[in-house]
Amino acid sequence: MNRELLKQYVAFYRDLGVKSFYRRTVLPPPVEAVPEAASGSVIPPPAMTDSEILFPPVPEHDSLARIRADMGDCTRCRLCKSRTQLVFGAGNESAPLVFVGEAPGAEEDAQGVPFVGRAGQLLTQMIENTAVKEGIPLKRADVYICNVVKCRPPENRTPEPDEMEMCGQFLFRQLSVIKPKAICALGGTAARALLGRKEGVTRLRGNWYKWRDIPVMVTYHPSYLLRPYNQNAKREAWEDLKKVLHFVYD
Ligand code: URA
């Protein structure tokens, strides 16, 4: 970790009221196959390089409200310059299932709610229609939806690694507070943030991994599914979603 990033970390956690820090060498978030969570092939995690990361303790009695308050009018990274407002997350705060996307787009930036644009409408349909077909009483409002970064990147570019690392701390706190039964990572950015894996979604999708102790299913991002030539990917995404819904709600 470079000095600048280290300084930002220290400032960030000082803002949270954390005064004592310790250093330790850790691996990126653990990536383990979940043999019993679902059948199907599971790609073993690659050997990972050590990276030295500061891991201050998460505040005791953390809550989504506290995390949101800690973010405040965040200016910790350059994305604050391109956003209208921060898009924290939405849905059931004790949901057994959390969907994690990449970053807010134009519509989300305007409304302050994740996945409300075209990709979001597709996600909502996918969740609700798959649930109906599978006999699972589930609406979008029953799950929790958020993104790796909470601010819209300029021209919807992919978030940079340092932006993901900075904002990822808040995502990890959100997931730690909600403690869902499973997480669905939508697209490569979410898979990278949660699993530390760089392979493409085509390779990762349909299998179970873990973020800390929580099973993670990787699938295509709905924006990718909106492209007209991705019929096959659509079918695969429905299959992935069926696996997730049955794992969580059966
Ligand atoms: N794409 C995302 O990854 N997240 C959103 O909230 C909207 C579009």
Side-chain angles (χ1 to χ4, degrees):
M1 180 182 299
N2 67 36
R3 282 182 78 78
E4 190 46 38
L5 198 53
L6 193 60
K7 263 173 53 191
Q8 285 178 21
Y9 263 114
V10 173
F12 167 61
Y13 281 100
R14 202 158 276 141
D15 288 352
L16 298 184
V18 175
K19 301 213 169 51
S20 49
F21 298 89
Y22 59 93
R23 286 177 83 95
R24 75 172 195 218
T25 302
V26 294
L27 293 174
V31 186
E32 295 160 34
V34 186
E36 78 283 15
S39 54
S41 58
V42 174
I43 302 167
M48 287 193 238
T49 53
D50 277 301
S51 59
E52 226 187 5
I53 300 173
L54 250 188
F55 251 84
V58 161
E60 253 183 79
H61 310 299
D62 209 6
S63 67
L64 293 180
R66 169 135 193 216
I67 300 164
R68 181 64 192 88
D70 287 342
M71 290 197 86
D73 192 21
C74 185
T75 55
R76 294 172 182 86
C77 86
R78 64 187 82 75
L79 293 184
C80 66
K81 299 197 183 107
S82 51
R83 69 155 189 250
T84 306
Q85 59 187 311
L86 196 148
V87 181
F88 183 70
N92 173 3
E93 303 198 349
S94 46
L97 176 58
V98 174
F99 288 85
V100 179
E102 178 176 300
E107 201 55 46
E108 291 76 20
D109 179 64
Q111 294 189 34
V113 181
F115 281 101
V116 287
R118 256 163 44 83
Q121 285 160 24
L122 177 60
L123 178 64
T124 305
Q125 271 177 24
M126 285 174 65
I127 294 170
E128 298 194 349
N129 295 352
T130 311
V132 168
K133 281 203 186 117
E134 298 302 306
I136 299 166
L138 181 74
K139 293 284 178 203
R140 173 186 161 124
D142 299 324
V143 303
Y144 191 82
I145 303 179
C146 58
N147 285 300
V148 175
V149 301
K150 314 300 189 205
C151 298
R152 183 190 182 198
E155 286 157 41
N156 298 336
R157 68 156 167 77
T158 306
E160 301 286 348
D162 63 328
E163 296 158 357
M164 285 169 61
E165 197 170 349
M166 184 56 75
C167 217
Q169 301 297 320
F170 294 109
L171 170 66
F172 294 168
R173 282 176 63 193
Q174 285 175 298
L175 295 173
S176 302
V177 165
I178 299 171
K179 291 196 194 69
K181 188 168 173 192
I183 299 167
C184 185
L186 301 168
T189 300
R192 252 188 314 284
L194 293 169
L195 308 176
R197 298 184 71 132
K198 295 205 170 103
E199 299 104 302
V201 177
T202 313
R203 196 167 153 67
L204 296 173
R205 65 146 287 275
N207 296 306
W208 289 101
Y209 304 91
K210 269 189 176 180
W211 176 79
R212 303 193 182 162
D213 274 341
I214 303 175
V216 176
M217 169 65 67
V218 177
T219 194
Y220 295 105
H221 192 286
S223 309
Y224 178 74
L225 301 176
L226 282 172
R227 299 180 201 166
Y229 45 86
N230 287 337
Q231 287 310 318
N232 219 28
K234 268 185 207 135
R235 189 183 42 74
E236 289 174 334
W238 289 94
E239 281 167 12
D240 300 342
L241 197 51
K242 272 200 281 188
K243 272 194 206 171
V244 175
L245 295 188
H246 283 297
F247 174 68
V248 174
Y249 294 101
D250 279 357

